[in-house]
Amino acid sequence: MTAPTDPEQPSLLDADAAAGAVERVYQQMFAVLAKELGGMVDVGDLDVDQAILDAFAAGDPAGVTLEQITSACRGIEPAKVHRRWTVLRGYQAIAPVIDRPNELRHRAAFAPYVMLLFLRRTATQRGQAEIHHLLTAGHRTLQDPSTTEQDAAVLIGQFATLFRLLANELVIMVANRTASELREQAQTSWGNMDLIGQAERVHIEALDRWLSLARECAQLRMALSSYRDAVHAAASRLVDQAGTTRVLGTLPPEAWLEFTRARPAAELAAALQGQYFDAPDPDMSPAQLRSAAESGRRTGRIRVTPPRTTQANEEEPPDEASAADDRDALAATAERALGGRERVEIADVIARAGDWISARRILADLTAAGLHDDLDYELKWRDTLNVDAAGAVPWVTDGEFRRRPR
Amino acid sequence: MSSPQAWWAKIQTAGPLRVPTGDAIPGLATAYDDDGAFVWLLPDYPEGAGHATLAEIGSAPVPLEHPIETRRVMAVVLCLCWHDQMTGPWPGRPVERTTLVTAFRVLRGHGDTESARSIVSGALNQLQRAGWVLLEPQTVRLGPRVALWTATDLVELREICRDLADIRAQALGEAAL
């Protein structure tokens, strides 16, 4: 008459996790049954339901009143019994014997009890065990001589859908969830590979008997292999997450993050009870002050050389070498243009060059030589202009190239 | 609100607190002010705790806005206000805001006065909130928190003041003109 007790009481955390897992499976199963969202039984309610249904079974076949039920469920608070009674009656699991107002005697349907047994079994063996049952039942159905090809096709299709859903859920979990969540779900969604073997036996059975079901069987095969891939992906994700150290004694960082994410504010605050913190004031460490002050002085005065790649350090010198070469070449050009004199007219230089193509090259060199810091030459332009329509260079600005007085 | 623990908790959360000297609680880090008429109660850490530890474990300390400029302003305030370097920087001497802006401009290589002024006032507001400086309408002085700098810190701080000595001289000289 009372709620069945667990043979062994697991530790608190395990019990909590187990209850959570069971509840998830219930919720998923009820998704099919529930009329609307919200309002979910918990494990304790099931015990009350069972007690109520037990009381119906033991009671008068002609009908049982609420008072009789309450007295039969002596171990349970009457308020709880009342609440479950209302819910069960709301879902027509309990109905008045005769449909009239103020009818006290009720009868119970058998379906809720079947569901209850199913839930109980799920609670002890988890959702995956149900798949084993289904596969076993499916195997028997296929062996049964009275099974038609139509039935087999439906059955194979159901299994294919089942494994597809399992695989998809797992793939999404591997991609998006934290490793700790993955580990939590390990038992319910990807715990053992036996399922695949069992399903393959079912598949072979069907294929042996009805060759025409090849298409359905191919669907099932694909679903199975995608499930297998998902299991492998999940396993390798967990192995990666464990890392090379395999420090099993300490909680992984994800567990801490998970805790902070999942817990209510009160629980998080409790951990800080009795702790005080400095106001969030920025620090002024002398080292920071000093580096800031020093860098402040530097900014805008010294040009910092841009960082160079560490490679090709050996090939750096050409930069300076080319500058040096440049200087010598410019000096040589300048001396050639001057020809030992102190100064030379630009018009003469250009006339000597013959054509503009070479003249402009010489002009460029002389300009560079005049601007070079290390060379003592200068290029002076005057405001007058020589025009010679017949010449190679039709107009030339007057100017001179000369040694700069030291 | 009379037990030392409660006071300690209060200043740890609210920052430095100024109370009449008679109300001082023994066992807390303090800095006397106004010739001993008032005392600042200071949030202190045990040895080995504090911002340095945070920096060591790679957890970002409390962020500053414009951290580098703010620290420069702090360095300038320090070199202008800390007049007797044989003792600690607290309480120091107040300095005119305009002098401070001038010194900051000198440090930054004579930039735009307007932008220097806005950088300095932004930095001072941040520093004041944390108790690093005390602001009066026209002047600025070091805040009580500087009393928490240890002897080792002071060695490096003196070094900063030596580095910035020319800026100090220039700023005070310009202000005198």
Side-chain angles (χ1 to χ4, degrees):
Chain A
M1 275 306 111
T2 53
T5 51
D6 284 339
E8 55 195 42
Q9 196 69 39
S11 75
L12 189 62
L13 258 178
D14 283 353
D16 192 32
V22 170
E23 205 174 293
R24 255 197 308 279
V25 176
Y26 285 176
Q27 270 171 356
Q28 287 157 1
M29 288 192 307
F30 261 89
V32 182
L33 302 177
K35 264 193 180 137
E36 53 198 298
L37 197 60
M40 175 65 213
V41 294
D42 65 31
V43 182
D45 288 341
L46 282 186
D47 293 341
V48 183
D49 285 357
Q50 174 146 23
I52 292 172
L53 292 170
D54 283 347
F56 267 109
D60 187 354
V64 181
T65 64
L66 177 56
E67 284 68 35
Q68 286 169 313
I69 296 288
T70 321
S71 67
C73 306
R74 231 167 279 113
I76 303 168
E77 280 176 51
K80 269 190 184 169
V81 176
H82 278 251
R83 199 160 54 79
R84 288 311 297 169
W85 171 278
T86 321
V87 172
L88 289 174
R89 211 175 50 175
Y91 279 112
Q92 307 289 316
I94 299 172
V97 173
I98 301 163
D99 198 6
R100 65 177 183 200
N102 303 323
E103 173 62 59
L104 290 180
R105 288 184 304 157
H106 286 71
R107 60 182 169 78
F110 80 96
Y113 194 67
V114 174
M115 193 63 200
L116 199 69
L117 290 181
F118 177 67
L119 291 181
R120 288 271 183 226
R121 206 170 61 208
T122 321
T124 52
Q125 300 171 336
R126 303 292 163 80
Q128 214 169 43
E130 269 327 293
I131 305 176
H132 277 296
H133 283 291
L134 283 176
L135 286 170
T136 312
H139 199 231
R140 292 193 127 180
T141 314
L142 290 179
Q143 282 172 333
D144 187 349
S146 66
T147 307
T148 64
E149 189 179 332
Q150 210 83 45
D151 296 339
V154 170
L155 200 64
I156 297 286
Q158 283 169 353
F159 285 143
T161 311
L162 181 65
F163 279 100
R164 279 267 176 228
L165 288 176
L166 259 177
N168 291 352
E169 192 187 13
L170 196 53
V171 165
I172 289 165
M173 209 148 63
V174 169
N176 301 325
R177 296 299 175 79
T178 62
S180 63
E181 277 177 301
L182 203 58
R183 199 180 299 119
E184 238 172 62
Q185 295 274 348
Q187 241 194 325
T188 51
S189 58
W190 56 284
N192 58 46
M193 297 287 260
D194 288 355
L195 277 184
I196 296 178
Q198 208 176 350
E200 270 167 353
R201 278 196 296 282
V202 170
H203 157 257
I204 289 166
E205 184 82 27
L207 207 56
D208 278 352
R209 201 166 150 190
W210 295 283
L211 210 58
S212 54
L213 288 183
R215 205 168 59 84
E216 285 81 357
C217 284
Q219 290 289 336
L220 178 58
R221 265 203 310 281
M222 277 160 63
L224 282 177
S225 50
S226 72
Y227 178 58
R228 190 185 287 121
D229 290 348
V231 169
H232 283 309
S236 62
R237 165 101 197 268
L238 279 193
V239 169
D240 285 351
Q241 196 263 344
T244 47
T245 56
R246 302 284 157 92
V247 188
L248 301 175
T250 57
L251 286 171
E254 277 193 30
W256 295 100
L257 291 175
E258 199 60 27
F259 180 81
T260 56
R261 251 183 251 130
R263 298 293 141 167
E267 220 168 301
L268 290 173
L272 299 176
Q273 194 79 46
Q275 308 272 339
Y276 293 102
F277 291 93
D278 192 6
D281 285 338
D283 186 34
M284 288 285 149
S285 81
Q288 286 173 333
L289 283 184
R290 189 166 180 198
S291 73
E294 280 177 0
S295 69
R297 216 190 252 280
R298 265 204 306 273
T299 318
R301 292 204 187 160
I302 298 167
R303 282 171 65 191
V304 183
T305 38
R308 292 179 184 173
T309 52
T310 45
Q311 298 171 330
N313 252 355
E314 289 78 345
E315 285 125 36
E316 280 302 87
D319 204 0
E320 281 182 38
S322 75
D325 288 348
D326 195 22
R327 190 186 61 188
D328 291 346
L330 288 178
T333 314
E335 282 306 324
R336 215 177 311 126
L338 286 170
R341 286 165 292 179
E342 274 304 302
R343 61 189 62 210
V344 61
E345 283 293 318
I346 294 297
D348 294 345
V349 174
I350 288 172
R352 224 170 329 139
D355 60 329
W356 173 236
I357 303 293
S358 41
R360 71 178 181 190
R361 193 176 306 133
I362 293 169
L363 211 50
D365 282 349
L366 292 185
T367 312
L371 295 173
H372 203 292
D373 290 339
D374 296 348
L375 296 175
D376 293 325
Y377 303 104
E378 60 185 356
L379 190 59
K380 278 279 177 206
W381 296 105
R382 290 191 293 272
D383 292 338
T384 49
L385 194 68
N386 284 328
V387 179
D388 177 10
V393 181
W395 53 267
V396 177
T397 310
D398 277 332
E400 63 177 14
F401 184 73
R402 64 187 184 203
R403 292 183 203 280
R404 192 188 299 156
R406 285 187 185 257
Chain B
M1 205 53 212
S2 55
S3 76
Q5 286 81 3
W7 277 105
W8 188 82
K10 190 173 163 68
I11 58 169
Q12 287 296 328
T13 52
L17 205 67
R18 191 168 183 260
V19 295
T21 301
D23 295 356
I25 307 298
L28 294 174
T30 51
Y32 285 92
D33 198 2
D34 281 350
D35 297 327
F38 286 89
V39 64
W40 288 91
L41 305 178
L42 301 172
D44 201 2
Y45 306 101
E47 197 64 37
H51 287 88
T53 318
L54 280 181
E56 226 165 75
I57 61 172
S59 164
V62 182
L64 274 171
E65 279 172 48
H66 307 295
I68 311 259
E69 296 290 9
T70 305
R71 288 188 193 121
R72 281 174 192 153
V73 171
M74 185 65 201
V76 171
V77 172
L78 182 75
C79 87
L80 290 177
C81 294
W82 191 8
H83 62 287
D84 180 7
Q85 301 204 350
M86 299 310 289
T87 64
W90 175 258
R93 222 170 17 196
V95 59
E96 296 280 326
R97 267 176 191 249
T98 48
T99 314
L100 181 59
V101 174
T102 312
F104 183 73
R105 275 186 60 224
V106 175
L107 173 71
R108 303 292 285 115
H110 290 282
D112 176 20
T113 318
E114 218 28 69
S115 76
R117 190 172 294 142
S118 69
I119 290 174
V120 168
S121 65
L124 286 179
N125 284 335
Q126 282 196 73
L127 292 169
Q128 185 202 24
R129 278 199 290 276
W132 286 110
V133 299
L134 293 173
L135 300 185
E136 279 136 33
Q138 293 303 317
T139 59
V140 178
R141 62 181 182 124
L142 288 167
R145 204 179 268 257
V146 302
L148 290 175
W149 272 327
T150 61
T152 358
D153 289 341
L154 292 188
V155 173
E156 190 148 10
L157 294 169
R158 287 200 184 93
E159 202 66 30
I160 297 176
C161 287
R162 245 195 304 286
D163 287 347
L164 299 183
D166 58 322
I167 288 171
R168 175 189 159 89
Q170 208 171 332
L172 292 177
E174 273 186 36
L177 287 178

